[in-house]
Amino acid sequence: PDGNPRGYGVTYLDRARTCVARCDEANDDYFLKWFVQPGTRLIRSPTNQPAWAAINNNVDAINRQMMFDGGFQRLAECHEILGDAPGRVKAYDAIVKASVTECLAGIKNFAPREVNGGRVYNWHYFPWSADKSKSESVGHAAYDVLGLHRASLRPAYGIALTDLTPLANTLVHVIAKGTNAFSATVDGKGTSGNYLLGEWVLLADWHPGVFDLVANAAI
């Protein structure tokens, strides 16, 4: 009823299509152009951009890849619902699948072990790192588990439940250090405080003990 003053569309559907189009435009002109390797479809920092190199930052850390993946996955889902761009669905899904496959492989193979009869993980900031002297912080890891949980809901990425349950086991048996107490890193070391970021509660889908730990601490 506002008269469409900004020209985004008269109906909610029109405006949704405009928003999706603007996201596609951002991908074509920036994200796909600079941060996705053409052959592997992996998310990587640009190697031919001096300005990017000058800020000494990265996009291939697991938590940062998951931020990219969230946008690509949601756009694939949007185009699938709209039925308007099968090529984009395929392209976006290929990027997310390459990313989550790499990240999950890095988490699984870094330093798995058995605790209380269940497999748990320890992992690094980067999916390809073999530096066992460092472990991911629980703050960064919140986005790691969010991204993997989100990706697990889309069959196109082929994520096995058996590879995901150890993430929940890690929270219950390693990160949780007692009532409302949690470690600073995913290997159970240090002290992060008396609660975890809300993304962690998603792991309750894979271990019922997660909800009580995270929710009670939040309360």
Side-chain angles (χ1 to χ4, degrees), residues 11-95:
T11 68
Y12 284 120
L13 179 58
D14 291 337
R15 294 182 186 189
R17 292 183 188 276
T18 298
C19 289
V20 169
R22 294 293 78 78
C23 291
D24 288 334
E25 180 182 4
N27 281 328
D28 292 343
D29 292 347
Y30 186 64
F31 293 107
L32 295 174
K33 182 177 180 179
W34 297 114
F35 298 103
V36 178
Q37 289 183 338
T40 66
R41 311 311 289 162
L42 290 171
I43 296 169
R44 287 292 185 269
S45 299
T47 57
N48 56 347
Q49 258 294 343
W52 176 263
I55 67 174
N56 191 30
N57 224 307
N58 75 85
V59 296
D60 42 345
I62 296 174
N63 66 312
R64 297 183 180 193
Q65 288 201 45
M66 294 306 167
M67 295 178 188
F68 277 70
D69 290 339
F72 292 133
Q73 179 176 338
R74 293 308 187 209
L75 280 173
E77 292 166 347
C78 287
H79 283 299
E80 196 168 63
I81 291 168
L82 294 170
D84 62 349
R88 284 195 182 274
V89 174
K90 184 177 180 180
Y92 290 149
D93 275 342
I95 296 167

Side-chain angles (χ1 to χ4, degrees), residues 17 31 40 81 103 112 114 117 120 123 128-129 138 147 159 172 183 199 211:
R17 292 183 188 276
F31 293 107
T40 66
I81 291 168
C103 290
E114 301 292 318
V120 300
W123 66 96
W128 36 259
S129 178
V138 295
I159 300 178
V172 173
S183 64
E199 290 88 348
F211 186 83

